[in-house]
Amino acid sequence: MTLTRAHIEATVDAALAEDAPQGDVTSMAFVPESAIATADLMAREPGVFAGAEVFEVAMTRLDDRVKVTNLAADGARFDAGDILATVEGPARAVLHGERVALNFVQRMSGIATATARYVDAVGGTGVRVLDTRKTTPLLRAFEKHAVACGGGTNHRFSLSDAAMAKDNHLAVLLEAFDGDLAKAIADGASRLPAGISLEVEVDRLDLIEPVLAAGVVSTIMLDNFSLDDLRQGVALVAGRAVIEASGGITLDTIRGVAETGVDVISVGALTHHIDSLDLGLDVRVN
């Protein structure tokens, strides 16, 4: 799923309603209706930008007289002190939309910046860095878009996009099929909708061969493997499936994981353990 304009508008509308259910009482009381403001979206630290369209929608949704000029494109790297966008329009609308707009763009840029660090860390290895479903409920499209802005690759968007049999699935399967994992996986795969790929997670080396013996697995996830076990796993798979490494991957460890020969590395921390970037809206009243 891509981040569409319609989805941005619907989510921004909900956020604005949450932030000011009866309007911005402060601005209505203290800011003249005729006042015009100009503002700069200012970077207070370096990073990677994400959310240009989201910022524009949040700032203009309340009053179409507000004009936003984006000076940085999604995925652009910037330094502290750079102006990323400018805003001009009725001061009440600018002040009303400020916090919602900043909340979105600060979080999205934080995700993009963190992702870029992970991608840079595996540079030259050919390994892709993937996100996960560990996202903020209802904000998945925003957060996965931010991962892409940082140079990462989106894993499946939802439970409907691809099949992934994880440890809990396998525990049930093994009980139902008397421990015959290959047969259990092949049986389940036979009921998948057409075009749906299958990934299977394993947490031990001895599970790799039975999983691949099913003949239906496109990706095998090696979960929480040591570096030595990852190397052995790569040798055992021997090109028969895409190999994904996952589990506790950090910025300090990802390079070593990439050098074991895996194809992709999934990092939940890209979206569930990040700091929002320090961006501010510096307002001037004309």
Side-chain angles (χ1 to χ4, degrees), residues 30-41:
F30 292 97
V31 177
E33 187 174 3
S34 60
I36 300 297
T38 58
D40 297 326
L41 178 62

Side-chain angles (χ1 to χ4, degrees), residues 194-275:
I196 294 294
S197 62
L198 173 60
E199 177 172 356
V200 176
E201 173 191 275
V202 299
D203 57 10
R204 304 195 316 268
L205 285 167
D206 63 295
L207 294 176
I208 291 175
E209 195 55 49
V211 166
L212 294 176
V216 292
V217 176
S218 59
T219 301
I220 186 163
M221 177 193 290
L222 308 183
D223 187 48
N224 283 300
F225 276 42
S226 68
L227 293 181
D228 284 342
D229 282 351
L230 282 173
R231 294 185 191 97
Q232 291 184 60
V234 169
L236 286 169
V237 174
R240 289 178 288 171
V242 172
I243 303 173
E244 176 180 340
S246 186
I249 308 294
T250 69
L251 196 57
D252 292 331
T253 63
I254 193 170
R255 181 77 189 190
V257 172
E259 290 174 344
T260 64
V262 300
D263 300 298
V264 297
I265 301 174
S266 55
V267 183
L270 297 183
T271 52
H272 80 82
H273 191 65
I274 62 99
D275 295 321

Side-chain angles (χ1 to χ4, degrees), residues 105-157:
V105 79
Q106 285 178 307
R107 180 164 180 80
M108 292 179 72
S109 295
I111 291 170
T113 301
T115 301
R117 294 187 183 120
Y118 279 87
V119 172
D120 289 348
V122 300
T125 65
V127 172
R128 292 179 292 129
V129 177
L130 275 58
D131 55 21
T132 71
R133 287 171 41 248
K134 295 177 181 178
T135 55
T136 307
L138 304 181
L139 293 181
R140 182 168 293 168
F142 290 74
E143 294 179 351
K144 282 184 171 282
H145 176 81
V147 167
C149 291
T153 300
N154 294 150
H155 210 305
R156 60 177 179 167
F157 185 85

Side-chain angles (χ1 to χ4, degrees), residues 58-176:
M59 292 305 305
T60 60
R61 198 68 174 156
L62 296 165
D63 191 324
D64 59 12
R65 292 174 294 172
V66 177
K67 303 301 178 187
V68 174
T69 302
N70 284 309
L71 303 178
D74 280 357
R77 299 192 180 215
F78 56 82
D79 295 318
D82 285 354
I83 298 174
L84 307 176
T86 60
V87 181
E88 183 173 7
R92 286 185 178 182
V94 171
L95 294 169
H96 185 163
E98 171 188 7
R99 177 44 52 196
V100 167
L102 283 174
N103 284 347
F104 277 117
V105 79
Q106 285 178 307
R107 180 164 180 80
M108 292 179 72
S109 295
I111 291 170
T113 301
T115 301
R117 294 187 183 120
Y118 279 87
V119 172
D120 289 348
V122 300
T125 65
V127 172
R128 292 179 292 129
V129 177
L130 275 58
D131 55 21
T132 71
R133 287 171 41 248
K134 295 177 181 178
T135 55
T136 307
L138 304 181
L139 293 181
R140 182 168 293 168
F142 290 74
E143 294 179 351
K144 282 184 171 282
H145 176 81
V147 167
C149 291
T153 300
N154 294 150
H155 210 305
R156 60 177 179 167
F157 185 85
S158 73
L159 292 173
S160 301
D161 297 336
M164 182 187 294
K166 305 191 77 172
D167 53 354
N168 288 335
H169 298 99
L170 297 186
V172 175
L173 283 173
L174 286 171
E175 179 69 23

